[in-house]
Amino acid sequence: MSGRPAVALGAGTGAATGRVPWQLLVPAAFAVALLVLPLTGLLVRAPWSTLPARLTDPEVGQALRLSLLTATASMVVCLLLGVPLAWLLARASFPGRRVLRAMVTVPLVLPPVVGGVALLAAFGRTGVAGGWLDDTLGLRLPFTTLGVVVAQSFVAMPFLVLAVEGALRSADARYDDLAATFGASRWQTFCRVTLPLAAPGVLSGAVLAWARALGEFGATITFNGSYPGTTRTMPLAIYAARNTDFEAAILLSLVLLVVSVAILALLRERWMAGPVS
Amino acid sequence: MTVRSVAAVPLTAGLVATVLGLAGCGAGGDEPASTLTVLAASSLTDVFDDLEGTYEAQHPDVDVQLSFDSSSTLAEQVVQGAPAGVLATADRATMRTVVEEGLGAEPVVFARNELVLVTPADNPGNIEGITDLDDSDVAYAVCVPEAPCGAASATLLARSGVTAPPVTEEDSVRDTLGKVVEGEVDAGLVFASDAQAAGGRVRAIPVPAADNVRTPDVAVVLDGPDTDAAQVWVDLLISRAGRRVLLDHGFLPAPAAAEKSP
């Protein structure tokens, strides 16, 4: 498999570097149009003249603050709970590990609205765990900012777990064994050897989880409803504005677009340059 | 390489032809000749479901497609070009946005509705009246202010002196009702017809008439290819049979039959 193409490439460099075949160019052009045109539409229809006045609207700041706060909190939750889970899946061996792995990645393919309904069934007031939480701790998750973090963590966690697990698997486990032979405990090995080796994977997983949490809509609105200041994050604010003030919806979308692209670009440049490019 | 790309073109063409063929098949068969799409406020769900049967029995050649959502969502969809024959909203304000765009003329008021306070059947928050909502420990739901039920609720709450905020603003009146039915909130403000639709799953508490808001239900024939079939739907709404169905579902009669709205 590796030998033949090399020979073919050597013999016919002209064909490989020649003009781009239309069979690839035309579909690619359509793909670009599909991906870029909608974003161009946002820019064209944006209310540029009233932009400064609208940007200082307290509701915009409120929704943006809430989004940044909850997405960051969700990323922290994912790191604190997801990294240990990823380690368990990658390094520990126990019965049912593959089933567990399949179960924790389900939210990745689940429609978020289904996640919201499931969260209500579990943590709603009449839910399996929700009633107990309310009676014993007086804790009600739906319609609260904490509930938003729970919903975002639910959908974002698998992204982090898969990224970290992949990094742990590709890292050489023999370093762990080596640390053990020098007398390090498993916890020490995790902190000093395993985690530093998997750091790029942890970072890219954290960024993915943050971005997924920032864009979360379906599970959040289903589980928490929508109220300014407590649960109405940017995506929910865009949804609320779209009927009556389409320009406001465009403006909020632009803000979310700029924030997510800026932060992803920044992180990519700082920490992800190696593994990504 | 060359062999593959040559084979790929007919393969792609074959796939496209198959997809097109399948799509074409759907249009044939013995289905009704035409489709009438009716967009309606979510409070009209049960009434329009009933009337769909009546309509299709009288006009077997027309297949009625119903779509329910918040009036403001539907109005925006129409403004953005959603193909539909009839739009029915639960207030005049959202209807006006469609008429002002020149997408339909002469809306007709066919019923009215008023708000009612509902709690889950077991009334976990011990709610006895609208003023009980003015308590930060009471979790209550309303519609978004853009929706007719939300606009009416804001007025009602202001008149009743309730300043404690709701825990959620739901997109449509049926979403608000759902939160109450599921027991996720202590109370909610919905239309009287929605409370009736929920039956024993909620407890309805009347609101002082002086503070309550009566909102008209308005229908319009939208410009487009379906205007004849659409006009038949609006005529059915204001017919004796239509008014009977509306009354049975807890709506109030229109002030005068077929009153024209601005």
Side-chain angles (χ1 to χ4, degrees), chain B residues 200-226:
Chain B
R201 295 179 295 166
V202 299
R203 223 168 65 106
I205 301 166
V207 173
D211 296 334
N212 209 336
V213 182
R214 287 198 169 176
T215 56
D217 288 284
V218 193
V220 74
V221 172
L222 297 168
D223 289 343
D226 307 325

Side-chain angles (χ1 to χ4, degrees), chain B residues 42-43 90 113-120 130 133 140-144 148-154 156-157 170 172-181 185 187-199 202-207 212-215 250-251:
Chain B
S42 70
S43 49
N113 226 327
E114 59 184 13
L115 290 172
V116 64
L117 183 64
V118 287
T119 73
I130 185 99
L133 299 184
Y140 72 97
V142 296
C143 301
V144 285
C149 55
S153 299
L156 169 62
L157 289 169
E170 293 293 312
S172 78
V173 69
R174 287 297 165 103
D175 294 327
T176 305
L177 182 69
K179 294 288 184 226
V180 179
V181 169
V185 290
L189 285 171
V190 299
F191 288 125
S193 61
D194 300 299
Q196 185 173 322
V202 299
R203 223 168 65 106
I205 301 166
V207 173
N212 209 336
V213 182
R214 287 198 169 176
T215 56
F251 284 81

Side-chain angles (χ1 to χ4, degrees), chain B residues 58-112:
Chain B
Q58 290 170 1
H59 306 276
D61 55 325
V62 180
D63 176 28
V64 177
Q65 296 282 344
L66 300 173
S67 175
F68 302 102
D69 211 318
S70 155
S71 299
S72 53
T73 302
L74 296 172
E76 174 64 14
Q77 285 174 1
V78 169
V79 170
Q80 295 277 2
V86 176
L87 172 70
T89 61
D91 70 352
R92 281 197 180 87
T94 43
M95 180 60 78
R96 209 170 288 136
T97 61
V98 170
V99 174
E100 278 171 3
E101 293 280 331
L103 299 165
E106 297 188 32
V108 176
V109 177
F110 60 91
R112 283 183 301 169

Side-chain angles (χ1 to χ4, degrees), chain A residues 96-186:
Chain A
R97 188 171 55 91
R98 296 179 71 159
V99 178
L100 182 69
R101 186 176 187 279
M103 274 168 57
V104 300
T105 48
V106 163
L108 200 67
V109 291
L110 202 66
V113 61
V114 178
V117 173
L119 284 167
L120 269 181
F123 299 116
R125 219 191 238 190
T126 54
V128 192
W132 178 84
L133 279 177
D134 193 2
D135 292 343
T136 56
L137 304 172
L139 187 66
R140 287 181 191 171
L141 290 177
F143 311 119
T144 64
T145 306
L146 187 60
V148 175
V149 174
V150 169
Q152 290 180 347
S153 301
F154 176 83
V155 294
M157 184 93 74
F159 286 87
L160 183 115
V161 170
L162 285 190
V164 176
E165 195 205 348
L168 287 174
R169 281 190 185 283
S170 60
D172 199 334
R174 281 177 300 182
Y175 287 112
D176 287 21
D177 301 336
L178 201 61
T181 59
F182 284 118
S185 72
R186 240 178 153 175

Side-chain angles (χ1 to χ4, degrees), chain A residues 125 225-226 232 242-244, chain B residues 73 146 165 168-169 184 186:
Chain A
R125 219 191 238 190
S226 170
R232 189 170 291 167
R242 83 206 183 285
N243 289 327
T244 45
Chain B
T73 302
E146 292 80 13
T168 180
E169 292 174 347
E184 294 298 339
D186 298 314

